[in-house]
């Protein structure tokens, strides 16, 4: 079996800046993925890196895009009012167009297909509300990258789900927020997973709407991760897990701490890399690869 290293990038809104630092540390340490799999903001980071290059220049461009996002107010913080609007079917069209325009302004060509991407494979995860399942963009190389990215990032109440044929697609976080299983379906034999779940958001009145919603999503995310990690173990696919979190809670809409989060993601990942190297001698992963090839 051919070795296929996947970087798996989870969802988490503004906390996605942590992944920028993590990616910089991984590339500096010599980890080069064959596959990028992303959900929600992880889909944005994965797509941008696939287009701009798996190198430090690509990371530099991704970093600048995050600084631009901090000024663009991509996810307005008045999410409670947006929720009320959506309940009365008053979609927040401006927010949806704002995100699409931002993506296009940062280099994604509207007619780009997954088969046009060179050097790495890209898988984006969306949730299909009509069929109750995950939809993976990128397995079919003729699919539109822009459509896949907009589907994976359609996060109510900011961005309404999108209709594609008989599908109603929204943010993939509700079916696979840390897309380990999708990466395996695409052929990954080794995985480095970058999780953005933030336990710090659980504090507060448990019956308050915001805290209750955070706890609900946290529970769903943890259960998904547990099941997908178990599936990887059953298939003997090694997963190196990196929990990326800040010292203070960061709501999904708060892009003002971007610089701080990028640096923290870098430091956390450097620490994880040193731990991996201490736990396993340099030949460990080569030995594991040979075992996999004999199966």
């Amino acid at each position: 079996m051919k070795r296929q290293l996947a970087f798996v990038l989870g969802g988490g809104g503004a906390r996605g800046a942590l992944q920028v630092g993590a990616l910089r540390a991984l590339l500096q340490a010599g980890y080069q993925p064959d596959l990028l799999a992303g959900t929600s903001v992880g889909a944005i980071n994965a797509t941008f890196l696939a287009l701009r290059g798996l190198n430090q220049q690509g990371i530099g461009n991704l970093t600048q895009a995050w600084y631009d996002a901090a000024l663009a107010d991509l996810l307005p913080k008045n999410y409670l009012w947006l929720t009320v609007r959506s309940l009365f079917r008053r979609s927040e069209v401006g927010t949806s167009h704002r995100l699409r325009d931002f993506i296009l302004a940062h280099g994604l060509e509207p007619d780009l297909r997954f088969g046009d991407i060179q050097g790495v494979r890209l898988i984006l995860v969306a949730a299909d509300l009509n069929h109750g399942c995950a939809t993976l963009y990128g397995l079919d190389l003729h699919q539109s990258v822009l459509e896949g990215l907009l589907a994976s990032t359609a996060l109510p109440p900011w961005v309404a789900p999108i209709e594609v044929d008989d599908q109603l697609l929204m943010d993939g976080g509700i079916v696979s927020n840390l897309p380990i299983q999708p990466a395996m379906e695409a052929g990954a034999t080794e995985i480095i997973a970058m999780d953005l779940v933030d336990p710090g958001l659980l504090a507060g009145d448990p019956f308050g709407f915001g805290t209750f919603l955070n706890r609900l999503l946290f529970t769903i995310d943890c259960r998904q991760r547990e099941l997908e990690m178990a599936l990887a173990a059953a298939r003997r696919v090694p997963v190196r897990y990196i929990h990326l979190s800040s010292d203070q809670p960061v709501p999904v809409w708060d892009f003002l701490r971007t610089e701080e989060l990028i640096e923290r993601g870098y430091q956390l990942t450097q620490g994880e890399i040193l731990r991996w190297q201490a736990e396993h001698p340099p030949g460990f992963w080569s030995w594991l690869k040979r075992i996999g090839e004999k199966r």
Side-chain angles (χ1 to χ4, degrees):
M1 181 184 298
K2 183 181 178 181
R3 174 186 181 272
Q4 291 284 306
L5 173 61
F7 284 0
V8 166
L9 292 89
R15 296 191 296 277
L18 290 157
Q19 292 174 345
V20 180
L23 290 164
R24 176 160 63 96
L26 289 167
L27 293 176
Q28 277 186 353
Y31 293 92
Q32 283 289 323
D34 306 286
L35 171 68
L36 296 169
T39 294
S40 195
V41 74
I44 294 177
N45 284 336
T47 301
F48 197 101
L49 201 58
L51 297 181
R52 294 302 181 93
L54 295 164
N55 49 49
Q56 292 305 314
Q57 182 176 349
I59 291 293
N61 290 331
L62 178 58
T63 300
Q64 184 57 54
W66 270 88
Y67 292 150
D68 295 342
L71 301 175
D73 195 25
L74 293 179
L75 301 179
K77 64 181 180 181
N78 59 332
Y79 66 94
L80 292 177
W81 170 238
L82 297 180
T83 301
V84 172
R85 288 175 61 90
S86 67
L87 290 175
F88 289 95
R89 303 181 64 83
R90 295 177 180 270
S91 60
E92 194 70 13
V93 175
T95 302
S96 178
H97 286 180
R98 188 182 307 165
L99 180 60
R100 184 181 189 276
D101 291 345
F102 181 86
I103 291 170
L104 293 175
H106 284 79
L108 177 57
E109 297 293 333
D111 58 350
L112 185 74
R113 306 292 165 176
F114 283 87
D116 297 327
I117 297 173
Q118 302 296 314
V120 68
R121 293 179 60 208
L122 178 65
I123 300 293
L124 308 180
V125 183
D128 180 359
L129 301 185
N130 284 346
H131 299 91
C133 63
T135 292
L136 305 187
Y137 279 87
L139 296 179
D140 179 353
L141 297 181
H142 298 289
Q143 287 179 305
S144 163
V145 176
L146 178 61
E147 179 185 299
L149 190 52
L150 293 177
S152 185
T153 56
L155 179 62
W158 292 282
V159 181
I162 65 173
E163 293 183 282
V164 179
D165 299 326
D166 65 339
Q167 298 176 303
L168 183 63
L169 301 173
M170 69 165 284
D171 191 291
I174 67 169
V175 288
S176 184
N177 197 50
L178 187 65
I180 292 170
Q181 181 178 359
M184 291 190 294
E185 290 184 21
T189 61
E190 302 173 30
I191 291 172
I192 297 176
M194 288 161 264
D195 196 359
L196 299 175
V197 64
D198 189 354
L201 294 172
L202 304 182
D205 177 7
F207 298 103
F209 177 78
T211 305
F212 175 80
L213 181 60
N214 286 333
R215 293 187 180 197
L216 175 63
L217 296 176
F218 176 78
T219 301
I220 293 171
D221 290 346
C222 289
R223 182 57 174 161
Q224 288 174 355
R225 182 182 70 239
E226 176 185 321
L227 292 174
E228 296 196 32
M229 292 281 281
L231 180 61
R235 294 183 181 179
R236 297 184 180 181
V237 174
V239 178
R240 283 168 277 187
Y241 173 81
I242 307 175
H243 181 208
L244 297 170
S245 64
S246 63
D247 55 351
Q248 297 291 328
V250 179
V252 296
W253 44 261
D254 185 4
F255 286 81
L256 297 180
R257 295 173 59 189
T258 290
E259 184 173 5
E260 168 197 337
L261 294 180
I262 291 174
E263 181 59 26
R264 182 168 175 83
Y266 179 75
Q267 297 297 334
L268 287 172
T269 303
Q270 277 196 320
E272 285 297 305
I273 292 171
L274 290 174
R275 185 176 63 81
W276 299 340
Q277 293 172 347
E279 288 181 352
H280 303 297
F284 175 79
W285 295 107
S286 297
W287 169 82
L288 192 61
K289 173 187 172 184
R290 291 196 299 272
I291 293 297
E293 291 173 343
K294 293 177 181 178
R295 293 203 310 268

